[in-house]
Amino acid sequence: MSTVQTWVADFAAREQGLTGAGIPWLAAMRKRAIERFADEGWPTTKHESWRHTSLASLEQQQFLPAAQSSVADLASRIKAGEAGHWLVFVDGRFAPDLSDIGVLPPGAQVLPLSGALADSPESVQGLFGAETQGASTVALNLALASDGAVIRLERGVALEKPVHIVFIAASQQAASFPRNLIQAGAASQAVIVEHYVGQGSGASLTNAVTRAELAADAHITHLKLQQEDEQAFHLGTIDVVQAKSSVYNSHSMSFGARLARHDIATDFTGDHCETLLNGLYYVNGRRHVDHHTLIGHSRPHGVSREYYRGILADTARGVFGGRILVAPGADKTDAVQRSDSLLLSRMAKADARPELEIYADDVKCAHGATVGQIDENSLFYLRTRGLDEASARRVLTYAFAAEAVSRIEPEALRRRVVTAIRSLVPDGAELGEFA
């Protein structure tokens, strides 16, 4: 039996037990989604956007039901006394004992998707998405998703503390399908952190989808920090729609998983929209990470900035495919796209494909990509200042990453990313005096 048939059979066995199984619109959509996945199967390297990323190793895996695992200590370390509204999920299921949503201002809602589907399913129907959107992996998520986070902000609501959505992969060979829904009303503001971690979960699968709608003048900062186990598989999709004068700042930090794929797209449906897509990844061993982005400048006066940086060691591989689409009539568009990769080994490999597709005349757009090793002149300079070669390489590696990290606000989130980088770079703890 092929893995596609396995997932179809798994859906048939689990369908009636999924959260919201009795909701007519959701049940019908799930059926259409699994039919689409059965028809298309997993994306292959024959698909242009997956040309450099094969899911063959994922298809060979057999995933098991989640087991009961104690993750209280790990959840406590992740929180580390940091203020915020916390939702914690273990193997894709909401863990109320580990969560602490706290007090929210009037007009703000933060709750698990399972709770929203149980209490007011009509409130999430419009944002849930459709089975025709995204790759076939997104359709599989829709078919099997039964939990995730729902964040709704009414007009003018501003959250003072970040919303932390923590997904812990705790069971060996388990698969989870989180679906997060964000609805930001006019002139609302929030910082949202998606954090994916593993606890000895081996070759687990996380297939996550986050959908967001930003009304006029809304301002959302979104940090995704991916730190799952080295044998894990992570397929992540972020789909954003922006209305007039809204601002969406995305920071995608990928530091874990045997294979990680991140698809990030935002569409400007109003004038004067702004977005920042900022990414950083570190891969070593034989690990593979792929970022694919799409910024749709559909209206005039849009501003987008896209910067991705990758650090690659051993025989690892990094892929970046970025596309900026400027539609007819999207005059005064201002867009910059850049991808830079640092190779720490001769066997590491980076593929970059930045694209500009422009159908308007009065625009200012630029793109570029670099792939290289540590600069020998910079290395020599640090050696003359008394550093040994290993320490000098460490400093230059961190300096390369620091440019991406410096764009992250607020400071507490930046510190969280810095800690993650130091845990990855050999002897990274010694970088403290250079941070």
Side-chain angles (χ1 to χ4, degrees), residues 307-359:
Y307 306 105
Y308 279 80
R309 297 205 143 201
I311 302 172
L312 302 95
D314 306 320
T315 58
R317 185 173 187 180
V319 179
F320 170 79
R323 183 180 173 211
I324 293 177
L325 175 60
V326 183
D331 298 329
K332 303 297 182 182
T333 288
D334 183 355
V336 174
Q337 180 189 73
R338 186 165 185 86
S339 168
D340 298 288
S341 300
L342 177 64
L343 306 182
L344 303 182
S345 162
R346 292 184 178 181
M347 300 297 291
K349 185 175 181 180
D351 296 282
R353 186 176 178 178
E355 294 183 62
L356 294 176
E357 192 170 345
I358 303 171
Y359 298 98

Side-chain angles (χ1 to χ4, degrees), residues 95-167:
D97 294 344
L98 302 178
S99 302
D100 183 9
I101 296 175
V103 179
L104 295 165
Q109 283 187 314
V110 176
L111 71 163
L113 176 61
S114 54
L117 290 174
D119 297 337
S120 56
E122 69 285 348
S123 67
V124 298
Q125 182 176 359
L127 190 57
F128 208 87
E131 73 282 353
T132 56
Q133 295 170 323
S136 60
T137 56
V138 179
L140 182 63
N141 170 279
L142 193 153
L144 294 172
S146 59
D147 222 336
V150 176
I151 302 169
R152 284 196 291 259
L153 306 174
E154 295 182 6
R155 175 185 290 269
V157 173
L159 296 183
E160 295 183 0
K161 296 181 290 187
V163 177
H164 291 266
I165 315 168
V166 182
F167 295 95

Side-chain angles (χ1 to χ4, degrees), residues 148-303:
V150 176
I151 302 169
R152 284 196 291 259
L153 306 174
E154 295 182 6
R155 175 185 290 269
V157 173
L159 296 183
E160 295 183 0
K161 296 181 290 187
V163 177
H164 291 266
I165 315 168
V166 182
F167 295 95
I168 301 175
S171 302
Q172 287 280 339
Q173 301 288 126
S176 63
F177 300 86
R179 197 169 187 92
N180 306 307
L181 308 178
I182 303 167
Q183 193 166 42
S188 62
Q189 298 182 40
V191 175
I192 300 169
V193 183
E194 282 185 60
H195 196 171
Y196 295 86
V197 295
Q199 179 177 274
S201 54
S204 62
L205 167 64
T206 299
N207 180 353
V209 172
T210 297
R211 294 178 50 79
E213 288 183 0
L214 278 61
D217 298 301
H219 192 140
I220 297 295
T221 295
H222 182 197
L223 171 68
K224 180 178 179 181
L225 181 56
Q226 191 268 318
Q227 293 179 290
E228 286 154 311
D229 290 352
E230 289 191 0
Q231 292 303 312
F233 296 87
H234 183 98
L235 306 176
T237 299
I238 298 172
D239 192 7
V240 183
V241 177
Q242 295 184 236
K244 181 179 179 179
S245 299
S246 61
V247 179
Y248 175 70
N249 293 330
S250 165
H251 305 282
S252 178
M253 307 285 117
S254 188
F255 302 138
R258 172 181 176 182
L259 185 151
R261 165 81 179 210
H262 306 278
D263 286 276
I264 305 171
T266 185
D267 185 21
F268 294 175
T269 62
D271 298 1
H272 296 280
C273 290
E274 294 184 25
T275 195
L276 167 66
L277 301 188
N278 179 44
L280 176 66
Y281 64 86
Y282 175 90
V283 277
N284 58 359
R286 298 180 63 186
R287 294 169 51 225
H288 181 109
V289 64
D290 182 348
H291 278 90
H292 260 71
T293 68
L294 171 62
I295 301 176
H297 284 265
S298 304
R299 300 290 299 170
H301 300 281
V303 177

